[in-house]
Amino acid sequence: YFRYLYIPLFMCLSTLYVDANGQDTVIANGWFKLAAEYYDDAKYDSSSFYFEKSSGIFEKYKLWNKFFYCRNNIGWNHKIMGNYDLAQKFFQESFNIAKEHFGDLSDQRGIACSAIGNLNRFKGNYEKALYYFDQDLSILRKLFGENNIHIAATYNNIGIVYDDMGD
């Protein structure tokens, strides 16, 4: 429970060290870390709250990678809580962020495809899930080659979809 005291204390003290340009990304990083702690403790509403707070700052300062992960992680929180429509919204947003700021061939785009595929598998939309997992697989092959652990995980996801379909 020390971390619940340490991180807010860090965030309060960090406001004293905001740089001359007024950037508050130090605070946003503190919120991001706190959100990850809440996620690890299965406190998904609190996790989403702090990812949301930090994402606004990351977007303001065009820190697209952090912004992407905030939006994607909020999507995962909603998926875990069974809020599939909200999860879809945030996964689609992270997909769009990846496409706009990192291009079609990026790790972020693959992560977004995998998240959308996972959500569709849970919703029983197996063809859509396979489509997004195939997109993820294509990106991963181009980025990392055939012999990569991420590719194995994607093949596993595809196998789970076929198992769910009874094939």
Side-chain angles (χ1 to χ4, degrees):
Y1 296 100
F2 175 73
R3 66 182 170 228
Y4 293 120
L5 297 174
Y6 172 73
I7 293 175
L9 178 62
F10 167 77
M11 291 185 314
C12 289
L13 292 175
S14 67
T15 61
L16 301 173
Y17 299 102
V18 175
D19 70 24
N21 295 324
Q23 292 185 346
D24 42 8
T25 56
V26 172
I27 296 168
N29 280 309
W31 286 335
F32 188 92
K33 290 175 185 175
L34 186 58
E37 293 286 340
Y38 279 124
Y39 178 87
D40 290 343
D41 289 342
K43 296 178 180 176
Y44 304 114
D45 283 331
S46 296
S47 175
S48 291
F49 176 79
Y50 285 103
F51 278 130
E52 188 71 50
K53 284 179 72 84
S54 61
S55 73
I57 295 170
F58 293 138
E59 181 180 27
K60 178 180 175 182
Y61 292 106
K62 298 177 171 56
L63 299 171
W64 301 121
N65 197 45
K66 286 281 196 163
F67 181 58
F68 166 83
Y69 280 108
C70 285
R71 307 317 275 176
N72 194 63
N73 289 339
I74 294 169
W76 278 107
N77 286 336
H78 284 295
K79 179 193 166 281
I80 291 167
M81 292 186 298
N83 303 328
Y84 295 149
D85 290 339
L86 281 172
Q88 178 66 42
K89 173 189 164 208
F90 284 100
F91 287 152
Q92 189 61 51
E93 186 178 350
S94 66
F95 179 87
N96 294 340
I97 293 164
K99 186 173 184 175
E100 181 179 345
H101 297 287
F102 302 103
D104 289 333
L105 186 60
S106 68
D107 191 34
Q108 293 85 353
R109 180 88 186 273
I111 289 167
C113 287
S114 179
I116 294 170
N118 239 299
L119 178 63
N120 278 290
R121 182 182 80 77
F122 272 83
K123 291 170 67 175
N125 299 332
Y126 300 123
E127 294 303 320
K128 217 172 183 181
L130 289 172
Y131 170 80
Y132 282 102
F133 285 139
D134 284 341
Q135 293 292 309
D136 180 32
L137 188 60
S138 174
I139 291 167
L140 291 173
R141 282 180 174 153
K142 290 173 185 169
L143 289 175
F144 303 115
E146 283 294 325
N147 194 14
N148 183 278
I149 193 161
H150 299 296
I151 288 176
T154 302
Y155 277 127
N156 186 60
N157 287 334
I158 292 168
I160 291 170
V161 171
Y162 281 113
D163 185 59
D164 288 351
M165 292 170 43
D167 290 348

mmCIF file of all heavy atoms in Angstrom, residues 73-116:
data_model
loop_
_atom_site.group_PDB
_atom_site.id
_atom_site.type_symbol
_atom_site.label_atom_id
_atom_site.label_comp_id
_atom_site.label_asym_id
_atom_site.label_seq_id
_atom_site.Cartn_x
_atom_site.Cartn_y
_atom_site.Cartn_z
ATOM 1 N N ASN A 73 -5.208 1.135 -23.079
ATOM 2 C CA ASN A 73 -5.373 0.549 -21.753
ATOM 3 C C ASN A 73 -6.757 0.807 -21.178
ATOM 4 O O ASN A 73 -7.315 -0.058 -20.491
ATOM 5 C CB ASN A 73 -4.293 1.069 -20.800
ATOM 6 C CG ASN A 73 -2.928 0.518 -21.127
ATOM 7 O OD1 ASN A 73 -2.782 -0.511 -21.773
ATOM 8 N ND2 ASN A 73 -1.901 1.213 -20.676
ATOM 9 N N ILE A 74 -7.321 1.959 -21.455
ATOM 10 C CA ILE A 74 -8.702 2.214 -21.033
ATOM 11 C C ILE A 74 -9.627 1.209 -21.716
ATOM 12 O O ILE A 74 -10.549 0.679 -21.098
ATOM 13 C CB ILE A 74 -9.132 3.667 -21.336
ATOM 14 C CG1 ILE A 74 -8.328 4.649 -20.483
ATOM 15 C CG2 ILE A 74 -10.628 3.846 -21.097
ATOM 16 C CD1 ILE A 74 -8.496 6.105 -20.884
ATOM 17 N N GLY A 75 -9.352 0.935 -22.984
ATOM 18 C CA GLY A 75 -10.135 -0.081 -23.696
ATOM 19 C C GLY A 75 -10.058 -1.441 -23.013
ATOM 20 O O GLY A 75 -11.071 -2.129 -22.841
ATOM 21 N N TRP A 76 -8.844 -1.841 -22.604
ATOM 22 C CA TRP A 76 -8.687 -3.128 -21.912
ATOM 23 C C TRP A 76 -9.442 -3.139 -20.590
ATOM 24 O O TRP A 76 -10.060 -4.142 -20.224
ATOM 25 C CB TRP A 76 -7.207 -3.452 -21.693
ATOM 26 C CG TRP A 76 -6.593 -4.039 -22.916
ATOM 27 C CD1 TRP A 76 -5.723 -3.432 -23.770
ATOM 28 C CD2 TRP A 76 -6.831 -5.343 -23.457
ATOM 29 N NE1 TRP A 76 -5.406 -4.275 -24.801
ATOM 30 C CE2 TRP A 76 -6.071 -5.449 -24.632
ATOM 31 C CE3 TRP A 76 -7.619 -6.416 -23.071
ATOM 32 C CZ2 TRP A 76 -6.077 -6.596 -25.425
ATOM 33 C CZ3 TRP A 76 -7.629 -7.559 -23.854
ATOM 34 C CH2 TRP A 76 -6.859 -7.642 -25.010
ATOM 35 N N ASN A 77 -9.388 -2.028 -19.873
ATOM 36 C CA ASN A 77 -10.140 -1.956 -18.617
ATOM 37 C C ASN A 77 -11.626 -2.198 -18.858
ATOM 38 O O ASN A 77 -12.267 -2.966 -18.135
ATOM 39 C CB ASN A 77 -9.936 -0.596 -17.937
ATOM 40 C CG ASN A 77 -8.572 -0.454 -17.299
ATOM 41 O OD1 ASN A 77 -7.924 -1.437 -16.960
ATOM 42 N ND2 ASN A 77 -8.134 0.779 -17.136
ATOM 43 N N HIS A 78 -12.163 -1.538 -19.866
ATOM 44 C CA HIS A 78 -13.589 -1.711 -20.170
ATOM 45 C C HIS A 78 -13.899 -3.123 -20.651
ATOM 46 O O HIS A 78 -14.946 -3.675 -20.301
ATOM 47 C CB HIS A 78 -14.057 -0.663 -21.170
ATOM 48 C CG HIS A 78 -14.234 0.688 -20.558
ATOM 49 N ND1 HIS A 78 -15.176 0.955 -19.598
ATOM 50 C CD2 HIS A 78 -13.556 1.848 -20.743
ATOM 51 C CE1 HIS A 78 -15.094 2.214 -19.224
ATOM 52 N NE2 HIS A 78 -14.107 2.777 -19.904
ATOM 53 N N LYS A 79 -13.009 -3.707 -21.415
ATOM 54 C CA LYS A 79 -13.229 -5.085 -21.871
ATOM 55 C C LYS A 79 -13.301 -6.030 -20.680
ATOM 56 O O LYS A 79 -14.203 -6.856 -20.586
ATOM 57 C CB LYS A 79 -12.127 -5.521 -22.823
ATOM 58 C CG LYS A 79 -12.307 -6.953 -23.312
ATOM 59 C CD LYS A 79 -11.043 -7.441 -23.983
ATOM 60 C CE LYS A 79 -11.067 -8.922 -24.170
ATOM 61 N NZ LYS A 79 -10.753 -9.665 -22.954
ATOM 62 N N ILE A 80 -12.360 -5.887 -19.764
ATOM 63 C CA ILE A 80 -12.325 -6.756 -18.591
ATOM 64 C C ILE A 80 -13.591 -6.592 -17.757
ATOM 65 O O ILE A 80 -14.123 -7.565 -17.211
ATOM 66 C CB ILE A 80 -11.064 -6.463 -17.746
ATOM 67 C CG1 ILE A 80 -9.818 -6.934 -18.503
ATOM 68 C CG2 ILE A 80 -11.147 -7.129 -16.376
ATOM 69 C CD1 ILE A 80 -8.509 -6.430 -17.913
ATOM 70 N N MET A 81 -14.104 -5.353 -17.674
ATOM 71 C CA MET A 81 -15.306 -5.095 -16.893
ATOM 72 C C MET A 81 -16.585 -5.478 -17.648
ATOM 73 O O MET A 81 -17.682 -5.374 -17.107
ATOM 74 C CB MET A 81 -15.368 -3.627 -16.479
ATOM 75 C CG MET A 81 -14.294 -3.238 -15.485
ATOM 76 S SD MET A 81 -14.444 -1.542 -14.844
ATOM 77 C CE MET A 81 -14.253 -0.547 -16.299
ATOM 78 N N GLY A 82 -16.439 -5.919 -18.907
ATOM 79 C CA GLY A 82 -17.603 -6.325 -19.697
ATOM 80 C C GLY A 82 -18.301 -5.184 -20.408
ATOM 81 O O GLY A 82 -19.380 -5.378 -20.968
ATOM 82 N N ASN A 83 -17.698 -4.010 -20.418
ATOM 83 C CA ASN A 83 -18.265 -2.851 -21.131
ATOM 84 C C ASN A 83 -17.749 -2.864 -22.570
ATOM 85 O O ASN A 83 -16.900 -2.051 -22.952
ATOM 86 C CB ASN A 83 -17.861 -1.542 -20.436
ATOM 87 C CG ASN A 83 -18.274 -1.495 -18.994
ATOM 88 O OD1 ASN A 83 -19.291 -2.060 -18.612
ATOM 89 N ND2 ASN A 83 -17.482 -0.835 -18.172
ATOM 90 N N TYR A 84 -18.272 -3.785 -23.358
ATOM 91 C CA TYR A 84 -17.715 -4.018 -24.681
ATOM 92 C C TYR A 84 -17.870 -2.839 -25.636
ATOM 93 O O TYR A 84 -16.998 -2.588 -26.462
ATOM 94 C CB TYR A 84 -18.308 -5.280 -25.296
ATOM 95 C CG TYR A 84 -17.937 -6.543 -24.557
ATOM 96 C CD1 TYR A 84 -18.793 -7.629 -24.518
ATOM 97 C CD2 TYR A 84 -16.724 -6.662 -23.880
ATOM 98 C CE1 TYR A 84 -18.449 -8.795 -23.844
ATOM 99 C CE2 TYR A 84 -16.374 -7.812 -23.205
ATOM 100 C CZ TYR A 84 -17.244 -8.878 -23.193
ATOM 101 O OH TYR A 84 -16.901 -10.026 -22.525
ATOM 102 N N ASP A 85 -18.974 -2.109 -25.534
ATOM 103 C CA ASP A 85 -19.149 -0.956 -26.428
ATOM 104 C C ASP A 85 -18.119 0.135 -26.136
ATOM 105 O O ASP A 85 -17.555 0.725 -27.058
ATOM 106 C CB ASP A 85 -20.565 -0.388 -26.322
ATOM 107 C CG ASP A 85 -21.617 -1.319 -26.923
ATOM 108 O OD1 ASP A 85 -21.245 -2.179 -27.756
ATOM 109 O OD2 ASP A 85 -22.801 -1.190 -26.560
ATOM 110 N N LEU A 86 -17.868 0.382 -24.850
ATOM 111 C CA LEU A 86 -16.837 1.364 -24.499
ATOM 112 C C LEU A 86 -15.451 0.846 -24.875
ATOM 113 O O LEU A 86 -14.612 1.622 -25.345
ATOM 114 C CB LEU A 86 -16.890 1.686 -23.004
ATOM 115 C CG LEU A 86 -17.985 2.658 -22.589
ATOM 116 C CD1 LEU A 86 -18.071 2.763 -21.062
ATOM 117 C CD2 LEU A 86 -17.738 4.032 -23.186
ATOM 118 N N ALA A 87 -15.215 -0.423 -24.672
ATOM 119 C CA ALA A 87 -13.930 -0.997 -25.068
ATOM 120 C C ALA A 87 -13.717 -0.803 -26.566
ATOM 121 O O ALA A 87 -12.629 -0.395 -26.993
ATOM 122 C CB ALA A 87 -13.868 -2.473 -24.694
ATOM 123 N N GLN A 88 -14.753 -1.069 -27.351
ATOM 124 C CA GLN A 88 -14.662 -0.904 -28.803
ATOM 125 C C GLN A 88 -14.305 0.536 -29.161
ATOM 126 O O GLN A 88 -13.449 0.784 -30.014
ATOM 127 C CB GLN A 88 -15.974 -1.300 -29.474
ATOM 128 C CG GLN A 88 -15.994 -1.117 -30.980
ATOM 129 C CD GLN A 88 -15.034 -2.031 -31.698
ATOM 130 O OE1 GLN A 88 -14.920 -3.205 -31.357
ATOM 131 N NE2 GLN A 88 -14.337 -1.519 -32.696
ATOM 132 N N LYS A 89 -14.943 1.476 -28.484
ATOM 133 C CA LYS A 89 -14.676 2.895 -28.736
ATOM 134 C C LYS A 89 -13.199 3.220 -28.509
ATOM 135 O O LYS A 89 -12.555 3.865 -29.338
ATOM 136 C CB LYS A 89 -15.554 3.749 -27.827
ATOM 137 C CG LYS A 89 -15.259 5.223 -27.883
ATOM 138 C CD LYS A 89 -16.017 5.984 -26.800
ATOM 139 C CE LYS A 89 -15.400 7.355 -26.653
ATOM 140 N NZ LYS A 89 -15.546 7.927 -25.356
ATOM 141 N N PHE A 90 -12.652 2.775 -27.384
ATOM 142 C CA PHE A 90 -11.264 3.112 -27.058
ATOM 143 C C PHE A 90 -10.275 2.326 -27.924
ATOM 144 O O PHE A 90 -9.236 2.862 -28.307
ATOM 145 C CB PHE A 90 -10.991 2.898 -25.569
ATOM 146 C CG PHE A 90 -11.577 3.994 -24.724
ATOM 147 C CD1 PHE A 90 -12.778 3.796 -24.058
ATOM 148 C CD2 PHE A 90 -10.951 5.221 -24.626
ATOM 149 C CE1 PHE A 90 -13.330 4.805 -23.286
ATOM 150 C CE2 PHE A 90 -11.496 6.243 -23.862
ATOM 151 C CZ PHE A 90 -12.699 6.036 -23.187
ATOM 152 N N PHE A 91 -10.590 1.075 -28.241
ATOM 153 C CA PHE A 91 -9.707 0.312 -29.131
ATOM 154 C C PHE A 91 -9.693 0.928 -30.525
ATOM 155 O O PHE A 91 -8.641 1.006 -31.158
ATOM 156 C CB PHE A 91 -10.126 -1.153 -29.210
ATOM 157 C CG PHE A 91 -9.822 -1.960 -27.973
ATOM 158 C CD1 PHE A 91 -10.597 -3.058 -27.650
ATOM 159 C CD2 PHE A 91 -8.769 -1.638 -27.133
ATOM 160 C CE1 PHE A 91 -10.316 -3.825 -26.526
ATOM 161 C CE2 PHE A 91 -8.479 -2.383 -26.001
ATOM 162 C CZ PHE A 91 -9.263 -3.486 -25.703
ATOM 163 N N GLN A 92 -10.854 1.350 -30.995
ATOM 164 C CA GLN A 92 -10.914 1.987 -32.313
ATOM 165 C C GLN A 92 -10.141 3.305 -32.302
ATOM 166 O O GLN A 92 -9.432 3.630 -33.256
ATOM 167 C CB GLN A 92 -12.365 2.230 -32.738
ATOM 168 C CG GLN A 92 -12.498 2.676 -34.178
ATOM 169 C CD GLN A 92 -11.970 1.644 -35.160
ATOM 170 O OE1 GLN A 92 -12.334 0.470 -35.109
ATOM 171 N NE2 GLN A 92 -11.095 2.070 -36.054
ATOM 172 N N GLU A 93 -10.249 4.037 -31.208
ATOM 173 C CA GLU A 93 -9.497 5.285 -31.088
ATOM 174 C C GLU A 93 -7.997 5.011 -31.108
ATOM 175 O O GLU A 93 -7.242 5.714 -31.795
ATOM 176 C CB GLU A 93 -9.884 6.016 -29.804
ATOM 177 C CG GLU A 93 -9.257 7.370 -29.686
ATOM 178 C CD GLU A 93 -9.665 8.127 -28.435
ATOM 179 O OE1 GLU A 93 -10.594 7.700 -27.719
ATOM 180 O OE2 GLU A 93 -9.041 9.162 -28.181
ATOM 181 N N SER A 94 -7.551 3.993 -30.380
ATOM 182 C CA SER A 94 -6.115 3.680 -30.383
ATOM 183 C C SER A 94 -5.673 3.210 -31.768
ATOM 184 O O SER A 94 -4.573 3.535 -32.206
ATOM 185 C CB SER A 94 -5.767 2.655 -29.295
ATOM 186 O OG SER A 94 -6.338 1.409 -29.532
ATOM 187 N N PHE A 95 -6.537 2.485 -32.463
ATOM 188 C CA PHE A 95 -6.249 2.065 -33.840
ATOM 189 C C PHE A 95 -6.039 3.296 -34.725
ATOM 190 O O PHE A 95 -5.076 3.367 -35.505
ATOM 191 C CB PHE A 95 -7.414 1.202 -34.355
ATOM 192 C CG PHE A 95 -7.258 0.719 -35.757
ATOM 193 C CD1 PHE A 95 -6.579 -0.460 -36.031
ATOM 194 C CD2 PHE A 95 -7.799 1.426 -36.812
ATOM 195 C CE1 PHE A 95 -6.447 -0.916 -37.330
ATOM 196 C CE2 PHE A 95 -7.673 0.972 -38.116
ATOM 197 C CZ PHE A 95 -6.988 -0.196 -38.374
ATOM 198 N N ASN A 96 -6.925 4.282 -34.586
ATOM 199 C CA ASN A 96 -6.826 5.506 -35.398
ATOM 200 C C ASN A 96 -5.586 6.320 -35.041
ATOM 201 O O ASN A 96 -4.940 6.890 -35.920
ATOM 202 C CB ASN A 96 -8.086 6.351 -35.241
ATOM 203 C CG ASN A 96 -9.310 5.672 -35.818
ATOM 204 O OD1 ASN A 96 -9.213 4.769 -36.648
ATOM 205 N ND2 ASN A 96 -10.486 6.079 -35.357
ATOM 206 N N ILE A 97 -5.262 6.379 -33.759
ATOM 207 C CA ILE A 97 -4.046 7.082 -33.324
ATOM 208 C C ILE A 97 -2.824 6.418 -33.941
ATOM 209 O O ILE A 97 -1.919 7.087 -34.454
ATOM 210 C CB ILE A 97 -3.944 7.095 -31.786
ATOM 211 C CG1 ILE A 97 -5.048 7.948 -31.170
ATOM 212 C CG2 ILE A 97 -2.563 7.596 -31.343
ATOM 213 C CD1 ILE A 97 -5.250 7.709 -29.686
ATOM 214 N N ALA A 98 -2.798 5.082 -33.887
ATOM 215 C CA ALA A 98 -1.663 4.342 -34.445
ATOM 216 C C ALA A 98 -1.517 4.614 -35.937
ATOM 217 O O ALA A 98 -0.414 4.861 -36.431
ATOM 218 C CB ALA A 98 -1.829 2.849 -34.182
ATOM 219 N N LYS A 99 -2.628 4.570 -36.640
ATOM 220 C CA LYS A 99 -2.582 4.779 -38.088
ATOM 221 C C LYS A 99 -2.125 6.203 -38.424
ATOM 222 O O LYS A 99 -1.279 6.401 -39.290
ATOM 223 C CB LYS A 99 -3.961 4.509 -38.693
ATOM 224 C CG LYS A 99 -3.977 4.566 -40.194
ATOM 225 C CD LYS A 99 -5.309 4.128 -40.746
ATOM 226 C CE LYS A 99 -5.242 4.121 -42.252
ATOM 227 N NZ LYS A 99 -6.454 3.604 -42.853
ATOM 228 N N GLU A 100 -2.665 7.174 -37.716
ATOM 229 C CA GLU A 100 -2.350 8.574 -38.018
ATOM 230 C C GLU A 100 -0.927 8.967 -37.627
ATOM 231 O O GLU A 100 -0.251 9.689 -38.355
ATOM 232 C CB GLU A 100 -3.339 9.490 -37.292
ATOM 233 C CG GLU A 100 -3.104 10.962 -37.559
ATOM 234 C CD GLU A 100 -4.108 11.862 -36.860
ATOM 235 O OE1 GLU A 100 -5.152 11.377 -36.395
ATOM 236 O OE2 GLU A 100 -3.824 13.072 -36.781
ATOM 237 N N HIS A 101 -0.458 8.472 -36.485
ATOM 238 C CA HIS A 101 0.819 8.968 -35.963
ATOM 239 C C HIS A 101 1.992 7.997 -36.123
ATOM 240 O O HIS A 101 3.143 8.415 -36.003
ATOM 241 C CB HIS A 101 0.671 9.368 -34.495
ATOM 242 C CG HIS A 101 -0.286 10.493 -34.310
ATOM 243 N ND1 HIS A 101 0.016 11.788 -34.661
ATOM 244 C CD2 HIS A 101 -1.562 10.507 -33.852
ATOM 245 C CE1 HIS A 101 -1.028 12.563 -34.418
ATOM 246 N NE2 HIS A 101 -1.994 11.814 -33.922
ATOM 247 N N PHE A 102 1.703 6.733 -36.399
ATOM 248 C CA PHE A 102 2.788 5.753 -36.525
ATOM 249 C C PHE A 102 2.776 5.020 -37.853
ATOM 250 O O PHE A 102 3.724 4.322 -38.171
ATOM 251 C CB PHE A 102 2.722 4.741 -35.373
ATOM 252 C CG PHE A 102 2.798 5.385 -34.017
ATOM 253 C CD1 PHE A 102 1.665 5.537 -33.249
ATOM 254 C CD2 PHE A 102 4.003 5.869 -33.533
ATOM 255 C CE1 PHE A 102 1.722 6.154 -32.005
ATOM 256 C CE2 PHE A 102 4.072 6.482 -32.296
ATOM 257 C CZ PHE A 102 2.928 6.628 -31.524
ATOM 258 N N GLY A 103 1.698 5.148 -38.619
ATOM 259 C CA GLY A 103 1.618 4.520 -39.931
ATOM 260 C C GLY A 103 1.037 3.119 -39.883
ATOM 261 O O GLY A 103 0.745 2.563 -38.828
ATOM 262 N N ASP A 104 0.862 2.576 -41.082
ATOM 263 C CA ASP A 104 0.252 1.246 -41.203
ATOM 264 C C ASP A 104 1.158 0.137 -40.710
ATOM 265 O O ASP A 104 0.686 -0.915 -40.299
ATOM 266 C CB ASP A 104 -0.139 0.974 -42.665
ATOM 267 C CG ASP A 104 -1.319 1.813 -43.112
ATOM 268 O OD1 ASP A 104 -2.137 2.199 -42.249
ATOM 269 O OD2 ASP A 104 -1.422 2.096 -44.315
ATOM 270 N N LEU A 105 2.453 0.369 -40.773
ATOM 271 C CA LEU A 105 3.408 -0.667 -40.363
ATOM 272 C C LEU A 105 4.103 -0.215 -39.083
ATOM 273 O O LEU A 105 5.200 0.328 -39.100
ATOM 274 C CB LEU A 105 4.438 -0.902 -41.479
ATOM 275 C CG LEU A 105 5.404 -2.051 -41.245
ATOM 276 C CD1 LEU A 105 4.665 -3.375 -41.100
ATOM 277 C CD2 LEU A 105 6.401 -2.127 -42.389
ATOM 278 N N SER A 106 3.409 -0.421 -37.959
ATOM 279 C CA SER A 106 3.964 -0.022 -36.661
ATOM 280 C C SER A 106 3.533 -1.020 -35.600
ATOM 281 O O SER A 106 2.497 -1.672 -35.726
ATOM 282 C CB SER A 106 3.495 1.386 -36.278
ATOM 283 O OG SER A 106 2.111 1.389 -36.015
ATOM 284 N N ASP A 107 4.333 -1.103 -34.576
ATOM 285 C CA ASP A 107 4.013 -1.963 -33.441
ATOM 286 C C ASP A 107 2.677 -1.544 -32.820
ATOM 287 O O ASP A 107 1.857 -2.389 -32.451
ATOM 288 C CB ASP A 107 5.144 -1.877 -32.418
ATOM 289 C CG ASP A 107 5.046 -2.923 -31.341
ATOM 290 O OD1 ASP A 107 4.592 -4.044 -31.621
ATOM 291 O OD2 ASP A 107 5.429 -2.622 -30.195
ATOM 292 N N GLN A 108 2.443 -0.227 -32.728
ATOM 293 C CA GLN A 108 1.196 0.262 -32.151
ATOM 294 C C GLN A 108 -0.014 -0.187 -32.964
ATOM 295 O O GLN A 108 -1.045 -0.552 -32.408
ATOM 296 C CB GLN A 108 1.219 1.795 -32.048
ATOM 297 C CG GLN A 108 2.213 2.337 -31.063
ATOM 298 C CD GLN A 108 3.616 2.486 -31.651
ATOM 299 O OE1 GLN A 108 3.900 2.068 -32.772
ATOM 300 N NE2 GLN A 108 4.498 3.090 -30.882
ATOM 301 N N ARG A 109 0.127 -0.162 -34.278
ATOM 302 C CA ARG A 109 -0.985 -0.606 -35.135
ATOM 303 C C ARG A 109 -1.267 -2.088 -34.902
ATOM 304 O O ARG A 109 -2.415 -2.509 -34.827
ATOM 305 C CB ARG A 109 -0.650 -0.334 -36.596
ATOM 306 C CG ARG A 109 -1.723 -0.746 -37.581
ATOM 307 C CD ARG A 109 -2.740 0.358 -37.827
ATOM 308 N NE ARG A 109 -3.831 -0.086 -38.667
ATOM 309 C CZ ARG A 109 -3.822 -0.048 -39.984
ATOM 310 N NH1 ARG A 109 -2.788 0.415 -40.631
ATOM 311 N NH2 ARG A 109 -4.863 -0.472 -40.661
ATOM 312 N N GLY A 110 -0.225 -2.887 -34.757
ATOM 313 C CA GLY A 110 -0.414 -4.307 -34.459
ATOM 314 C C GLY A 110 -1.085 -4.524 -33.113
ATOM 315 O O GLY A 110 -1.975 -5.372 -32.975
ATOM 316 N N ILE A 111 -0.675 -3.759 -32.118
ATOM 317 C CA ILE A 111 -1.276 -3.858 -30.784
ATOM 318 C C ILE A 111 -2.763 -3.521 -30.853
ATOM 319 O O ILE A 111 -3.600 -4.203 -30.252
ATOM 320 C CB ILE A 111 -0.537 -2.931 -29.798
ATOM 321 C CG1 ILE A 111 0.852 -3.500 -29.504
ATOM 322 C CG2 ILE A 111 -1.334 -2.734 -28.511
ATOM 323 C CD1 ILE A 111 1.784 -2.521 -28.795
ATOM 324 N N ALA A 112 -3.099 -2.479 -31.601
ATOM 325 C CA ALA A 112 -4.502 -2.082 -31.741
ATOM 326 C C ALA A 112 -5.308 -3.157 -32.468
ATOM 327 O O ALA A 112 -6.434 -3.470 -32.067
ATOM 328 C CB ALA A 112 -4.592 -0.748 -32.472
ATOM 329 N N CYS A 113 -4.728 -3.732 -33.505
ATOM 330 C CA CYS A 113 -5.414 -4.816 -34.227
ATOM 331 C C CYS A 113 -5.652 -6.006 -33.311
ATOM 332 O O CYS A 113 -6.744 -6.600 -33.319
ATOM 333 C CB CYS A 113 -4.602 -5.251 -35.447
ATOM 334 S SG CYS A 113 -4.630 -4.089 -36.818
ATOM 335 N N SER A 114 -4.671 -6.355 -32.522
ATOM 336 C CA SER A 114 -4.811 -7.467 -31.598
ATOM 337 C C SER A 114 -5.907 -7.199 -30.570
ATOM 338 O O SER A 114 -6.715 -8.085 -30.252
ATOM 339 C CB SER A 114 -3.478 -7.729 -30.893
ATOM 340 O OG SER A 114 -3.608 -8.796 -29.983
ATOM 341 N N ALA A 115 -5.960 -5.979 -30.047
ATOM 342 C CA ALA A 115 -6.984 -5.627 -29.064
ATOM 343 C C ALA A 115 -8.381 -5.725 -29.668
ATOM 344 O O ALA A 115 -9.292 -6.294 -29.058
ATOM 345 C CB ALA A 115 -6.728 -4.219 -28.523
ATOM 346 N N ILE A 116 -8.549 -5.204 -30.883
ATOM 347 C CA ILE A 116 -9.854 -5.264 -31.547
ATOM 348 C C ILE A 116 -10.214 -6.719 -31.855
ATOM 349 O O ILE A 116 -11.367 -7.136 -31.694
ATOM 350 C CB ILE A 116 -9.876 -4.390 -32.814
ATOM 351 C CG1 ILE A 116 -9.739 -2.914 -32.434
ATOM 352 C CG2 ILE A 116 -11.152 -4.616 -33.610
ATOM 353 C CD1 ILE A 116 -9.519 -1.976 -33.603
#
